[in-house]
Amino acid sequence: LPAGLSQWFPALEVLDVSGTGLSELGTELLALPCLHTLLAKNNRLGGPGSLPKGLGQAPLGRSLRVLNLSGNRFSEVPPALLGLRELRSLSLGGNRLHSIPPEIQELRSLEFLYLGGNFITSIPPELANLPSLSYLVLCDNKIQSIPPQLAQLHSLRSLSLHNNLLTYLPREILNLVHLEELSLRGNPLVVRFVRDLTYNPPSLQELAGRTIKTRNVPYAPSDLPENLVRYLSLASNCPNPKCGGVYFDSCVRQIKFVDFCGKYRLPLMHYLCSPECSSPCSSASQSSTSQSESDSEDEASVAARRMQKVLLG
Amino acid sequence: MEQPVQTETWKARSLEELVCILHRIFAEDKISVEEVQELMESYESNSEEWLQYAKFDQYRYTRNLVDSGNGKFNLMILCWGEGHGSSIHDHTDSHCFMKILQGNLKETLFEWPEKKGNGEMTKKSERVLRENQCAYINDSIGLHRVENISHTESAVSLHLYSPPFDTCNTFDQRTGHKHKVKMTFYSQYGERTVCVSTRQNLALPAPSH
């Protein structure tokens, strides 16, 4: 890029340098205070120094809203762009990413994130800390599981997960009330009932922790070593409404199928605190052993009906 | 227009001319699939002529009506963002022509599932359609899924359906179960259609479900 760029075109708002063979975007961009859209698809970007240092602090860092770096050679999300606090749309499709850094949560204004066509194997739970994210594309990667925290993405309208390595989904996915599109094809989703047989019984520490939580035994930070205070804060609630218990590390992983009127069967992973617990997400076609299960089914089946309308086969 | 009236090879020199010739062809009682396919292929895509219909949606592909063919056919432009794809669907006993105006689209053909569909659907073939190519399908040929598999380029396609239809079935690839859905237009004649509900697209069942 020519060195005088920001002097010749100080009012530049949109810059498209796609398909120009660039291997780095230099500091000449930093002084463009009006640039809101930067398109640099299909180039040779990806090495260290592909993006200019100090990007987040420069005038460009405050004005940039849309950044498209798809079709390049990035093997990691360039740290330089994590300072773009006003960025609304980021595309890194068709690169060589193997992971998503937890620091992705620093892109506080992000609404649109395209990461399709990479080699990503897992999703950091920190991704769920993007409050405005409405469109998330993770298709054509190597993702094996979805963290349940993703259900905290209340603004999510479209989630693209097709062509990955998912065998099940977390049941919390039913909580995404604004979801209108969900693609799951091309995943080896389990079709038969699977029970994880390796249940490790809870440790003494876990049993003590469970008792403190379920009996509301009062404690103050001064009563316990810091590591135990932290441990107690990590309790997860058992989704079984008849249980009301908590678990820490020891839980039963159980795949239950949510059946959408015989059209789609989604395997959802439930974490229960003991083998005696049962999940509230029972399939309508599976026979319930207890009457009490049917009360909790209403909420789950409403969510399931809504999700049915969203699924793309 | 210098074109002869019988079934000769047509050449559409513009989108407007294409629509014109289509009206003439479909005014007849008998229509040849080959004739229509050749005509569609003959039109060399010129984005200036269709840009007004090419309205993209960031979340999914859009259907934009161009011409309603005096009730004989629907001509529409579909806009596919990166990674956008359709579900597997049928064509409600109609002819379907699909021409690529920009980018590429992957078409995967499937066999109809067995009556008591309870297994993974069988893929027949797949291909990537290039700019200006025109594909044809109808229910006797099979079912298909159309997708823009590019992560960097959007795609635009021109579709002709005859007779027009506004419902079809979508299929779950893993079980063969089908689902009737109502289809709507994102825009008509270049004007954005005001949606009654936000949940209108090819993959959703009718609201009365």
Side-chain angles (χ1 to χ4, degrees):
Chain A
L1 289 174
L5 193 59
S6 49
Q7 283 157 345
W8 301 336
F9 305 110
L12 198 60
E13 293 183 20
V14 177
L15 180 60
D16 186 351
V17 291
S18 301
T20 53
L22 283 172
S23 51
E24 64 168 53
L25 295 172
T27 50
E28 42 295 319
L29 285 176
L30 295 179
L32 289 165
C34 303
L35 193 72
H36 57 69
T37 298
L38 177 56
L39 310 174
K41 309 189 300 186
N42 301 320
N43 283 304
R44 295 197 196 122
L45 302 168
S50 295
L51 296 184
K53 275 207 179 80
L55 180 55
Q57 295 76 42
L60 177 65
R62 284 187 293 279
S63 63
L64 206 57
R65 295 282 180 276
V66 175
L67 179 58
N68 191 330
L69 297 169
S70 60
N72 280 288
R73 302 166 186 191
F74 288 101
S75 55
E76 59 164 17
V77 176
L81 70 82
L82 294 170
L84 295 170
R85 304 186 137 267
E86 301 295 326
L87 197 67
R88 304 284 193 267
S89 169
L90 174 62
S91 176
L92 280 161
N95 277 280
R96 303 170 187 177
L97 302 177
H98 281 83
S99 63
I100 306 168
E103 292 80 13
I104 195 95
Q105 63 184 337
E106 290 167 33
L107 297 173
R108 314 269 330 130
S109 307
L110 209 59
E111 295 170 12
F112 178 111
L113 180 57
Y114 193 108
L115 295 171
N118 281 287
F119 303 104
I120 298 168
T121 52
S122 70
I123 303 168
E126 288 79 3
L127 190 58
N129 294 336
L130 295 171
S132 310
L133 199 64
S134 59
Y135 186 53
L136 178 58
V137 180
L138 294 165
C139 62
D140 293 294
N141 275 291
K142 307 279 177 201
I143 299 169
Q144 296 175 18
S145 70
I146 306 294
Q149 292 84 348
L150 276 205
Q152 289 158 25
L153 287 169
H154 298 297
S155 308
L156 206 59
R157 277 188 51 182
S158 178
L159 177 57
S160 164
L161 291 170
H162 58 271
N163 299 332
N164 273 290
L165 299 172
L166 297 171
T167 47
Y168 59 83
L169 296 175
R171 67 169 286 278
E172 289 80 0
I173 204 120
L174 295 180
N175 298 342
L176 287 169
V177 286
H178 291 117
L179 199 63
E180 292 184 7
E181 311 279 338
L182 171 62
S183 64
L184 289 170
R185 65 183 185 278
N187 279 288
L189 295 177
V190 292
V191 292
R192 267 187 293 281
F193 186 73
V194 171
R195 182 185 278 275
D196 186 355
L197 296 171
T198 57
Y199 168 58
N200 293 317
S203 60
L204 281 177
Q205 178 173 296
E206 167 125 15
L207 287 172
R210 289 187 183 198
T211 306
I212 290 172
K213 284 288 175 181
T214 53
R215 306 267 174 117
N216 286 315
V217 174
Y219 64 93
S222 51
D223 298 329
L224 298 167
E226 198 195 306
N227 64 317
L228 288 180
V229 176
R230 208 166 347 136
Y231 178 80
L232 286 172
S233 70
L234 295 174
S236 302
N237 290 310
C238 181
N240 178 9
K242 299 302 164 191
C243 169
V246 299
Y247 61 90
F248 292 85
D249 309 304
S250 168
C251 59
V252 177
R253 298 171 59 211
Q254 191 184 81
I255 292 187
K256 269 240 151 104
F257 289 93
V258 181
D259 190 18
F260 302 105
C261 305
K263 303 275 192 294
Y264 301 108
R265 268 163 61 86
L266 260 201
L268 300 181
M269 176 67 87
H270 299 79
Y271 295 94
L272 304 163
C273 71
S274 81
E276 284 70 48
C277 284
S278 59
S279 120
C281 228
S282 306
S283 156
S285 60
Q286 281 181 19
S287 54
S288 294
T289 44
S290 74
Q291 186 70 26
S292 51
E293 261 193 47
S294 59
D295 305 331
S296 57
E297 258 184 63
D298 293 330
E299 203 190 287
S301 52
V302 165
R305 252 197 303 282
R306 180 177 30 81
M307 191 55 89
Q308 171 190 355
K309 296 188 178 219
V310 159
L311 282 171
L312 289 172
Chain B
M1 266 187 301
E2 310 273 39
Q3 277 82 8
V5 182
Q6 316 103 289
T7 329
E8 301 272 312
T9 351
W10 298 100
K11 168 76 181 162
R13 293 165 299 192
S14 70
L15 181 60
E16 216 181 298
E17 192 163 275
L18 173 64
V19 173
C20 233
I21 303 174
L22 283 170
H23 274 257
R24 284 178 58 162
I25 290 179
F26 280 89
E28 305 294 323
D29 295 323
K30 295 190 80 158
I31 294 134
S32 147
V33 165
E34 289 76 29
E35 185 179 18
V36 176
Q37 197 165 0
E38 268 177 33
L39 169 66
M40 296 273 283
E41 272 208 17
S42 78
Y43 166 58
E44 280 168 44
S45 173
N46 177 355
S47 59
E48 281 174 21
E49 293 167 0
W50 47 257
L51 219 48
Q52 54 170 313
Y53 304 107
K55 299 182 190 307
F56 282 82
D57 181 278
Q58 77 167 352
Y59 299 109
R60 57 177 317 272
Y61 74 92
T62 61
R63 307 170 80 241
N64 304 278
L65 183 66
V66 174
D67 191 275
S68 50
N70 280 337
K72 295 283 185 69
F73 63 84
N74 267 351
L75 187 69
M76 63 190 77
I77 280 178
L78 272 62
C79 297
W80 315 74
E82 294 88 319
H84 288 175
S86 77
S87 39
I88 302 172
H89 57 275
D90 63 8
H91 297 88
T92 321
D93 293 323
S94 292
H95 301 279
C96 159
F97 299 85
M98 172 170 71
K99 178 198 174 71
I100 313 296
L101 295 177
Q102 177 189 293
N104 301 291
L105 288 176
K106 176 173 162 187
E107 180 193 33
T108 311
L109 287 183
F110 288 88
E111 301 277 10
W112 279 88
E114 304 290 311
K115 227 29 171 118
K116 254 316 187 153
N118 249 323
E120 179 103 23
M121 284 175 69
T122 317
K123 224 183 261 193
K124 270 172 67 161
S125 64
E126 61 182 45
R127 58 175 166 167
V128 175
L129 296 160
R130 308 285 170 196
E131 274 182 25
N132 284 313
Q133 260 189 286
C134 179
Y136 169 78
I137 194 170
N138 65 46
D139 282 351
S140 66
I141 292 174
L143 308 166
H144 71 179
R145 182 196 302 286
V146 180
E147 345 166 47
N148 177 12
I149 53 174
S150 173
H151 299 293
T152 57
E153 317 304 323
S154 60
V156 180
S157 52
L158 181 68
H159 296 235
L160 186 148
Y161 298 102
S162 178
F165 58 96
D166 61 3
T167 65
C168 72
N169 290 300
T170 64
F171 296 78
D172 178 359
Q173 186 169 346
R174 299 191 312 137
T175 59
H177 285 133
K178 68 177 186 208
H179 218 141
K180 189 170 173 184
V181 294
K182 193 156 166 58
M183 298 133 75
T184 58
F185 292 113
Y186 193 78
S187 75
Q188 298 189 44
Y189 315 110
E191 302 276 327
R192 178 83 173 89
T193 323
V194 177
C195 283
V196 174
S197 137
T198 52
R199 287 173 178 260
Q200 295 178 2
N201 67 54
L202 189 67
L204 301 180
S208 59
H209 178 84

